[in-house]
Amino acid sequence: MKLDSIKRIGIAGAGTMGSGIALIFAKKGYKVTVMDLSITLLEDSRKLVDIFNQTLLAEELMTSDEEERVMSNIEYSLDKSAFKDCDLIIEAIVEKLEVKQSFWKEVKSIAKKDAYLATNTSGLSINSISEDIVDKTRFVGMHFWNPPHIVPLVELIKGDETSDETVEVLKSLMKRIDKEPVIVQKDTPGFIGNRLQFAAFREALHILKEGVGTVEDIDKAMRFGPGFRYPVLGPLETADLGGLDTFYYISAYLFKNLSDSKEAPEILKEKIDSGNLGVKTKEGFYEYFDGQDEEVIKRRDSMFIKMLKLNNSAEKK
Ligand code: NAI
């Protein structure tokens, strides 16, 4: 199917991700059908979309016409057969392989013959999720980052049988909804973004364990050092600018000191066992009592939006 023929988007799962993904397509004029398992979940999703709209309006990232368009372009359904007219179906349901497989087993016979099929899995295998689908050429991983109506990156992950045409069409579609697509050439755990993110996370925990820096200073070093650069330069361009010879010499003595642990981190296990899961339990590496939980989320969202505006204006130049 050609890019211009994609008009109707089906989204399964009206949670955190499905709601935000629905908003971005609806804002651009696509007709969207969101499906979930109960009326309450669908009503909650509509409320969530409204909250996202209000933030975008307040930040002038959305006009009132676009807000109206979002609300009128999204339909809700409890029935998967509502996907029968969709040109692209995005599955954003619970991250359990067997649930995703049984979803697709049912939807493969409902979907149009030429519809594109996508899963928003965070890291499950694209090949395993699509196991039951006979023609996998139009099946792809489409990994939006949370919050999907703000973070620009979308990873398009090729399964073994995904066609180049599918990837090209969906890449263009992502650009139409103002996203920054990257192609993940192999169905590999963590895709690209989470491999980078968790390499830094593993090293942060290693530095903490070795007593080289405090929690605050590790975060600060990332935010004002490498993190300051990363919105402008990726790690490879950073090396080009720093000089590949210099980066080689540093790697030669430094790599052997970096963590190469293959285990999930013990320190996280200890925190989980004591009921400290981070913001959602008000304690993690930091404490979030007396309204600090809401404060930190507000600060994050407002900074993300500022970054997005900077990013948008840089892209227009
Ligand atoms: P969520 O728990 O907020 O929403 C999932 C929704 O799927 C729920 O409303 C649930 O009722 C519904 N659901 C479950 N089984 C279903 C079925 N058979 N048919 C229709 N709906 C069904 O989850 P969230 O966070 O939105 O995640 C969804 C997917 O997106 C997962 O695969 C997750 O790994 C992925 N993802 C999540 C990110 C995050 O930060 N939350 C980031 C990127 C990807």
Side-chain angles (χ1 to χ4, degrees), residues 135-188:
D135 177 5
K136 302 180 178 59
T137 56
R138 283 170 290 97
F139 195 94
V140 73
M142 187 180 276
H143 183 222
F144 288 85
W145 282 60
N146 190 28
H149 60 295
I150 296 178
V151 182
L153 178 63
V154 179
E155 293 175 285
L156 292 174
I157 305 108
K158 287 169 86 168
D160 289 352
E161 295 173 41
T162 310
S163 73
D164 290 341
E165 190 197 339
T166 296
V167 172
E168 279 314 308
V169 171
L170 296 181
K171 186 176 164 190
S172 304
L173 181 68
M174 293 301 104
K175 289 185 184 159
R176 279 204 179 169
I177 58 166
D178 297 333
K179 292 290 158 192
E180 294 286 347
V182 300
I183 312 304
V184 183
Q185 302 289 349
K186 290 179 184 170
D187 184 14
T188 175

Side-chain angles (χ1 to χ4, degrees), residues 293-309:
D293 47 348
E294 283 179 23
E295 268 315 298
V296 77
I297 291 169
K298 266 195 215 144
R299 183 176 70 94
R300 177 199 67 181
D301 289 353
S302 124
M303 292 301 283
F304 277 179
I305 284 170
K306 285 197 181 84
M307 298 275 299
L308 183 64
K309 284 182 178 168

Side-chain angles (χ1 to χ4, degrees), residues 90-119:
I90 304 171
E91 167 268 300
I93 67 174
V94 61
E95 185 77 347
K96 287 189 183 158
L97 181 61
E98 54 300 351
V99 183
K100 287 190 189 289
Q101 282 173 332
S102 76
F103 168 86
W104 284 113
K105 202 170 185 174
E106 226 181 303
V107 169
K108 71 173 182 195
S109 43
I110 295 170
K112 292 202 301 190
K113 288 272 167 291
D114 57 350
Y116 292 108
L117 310 174
T119 173

Side-chain angles (χ1 to χ4, degrees), residues 15 61 67 127:
L61 283 166
E67 185 203 11
N127 292 328

Side-chain angles (χ1 to χ4, degrees), residues 10-12 33 35 80-86 89 103 107 110-111:
I11 297 175
T33 302
M35 180 262 156
K80 293 184 186 70
S81 62
F83 293 144
K84 68 180 188 320
D85 299 324
C86 292
I89 301 171
F103 168 86
V107 169
I110 295 170

Side-chain angles (χ1 to χ4, degrees), residues 12-30:
T16 314
M17 297 305 291
S19 305
I21 298 168
L23 183 161
I24 13 185
F25 279 103
K27 182 175 166 217
K28 285 285 169 182
Y30 291 91

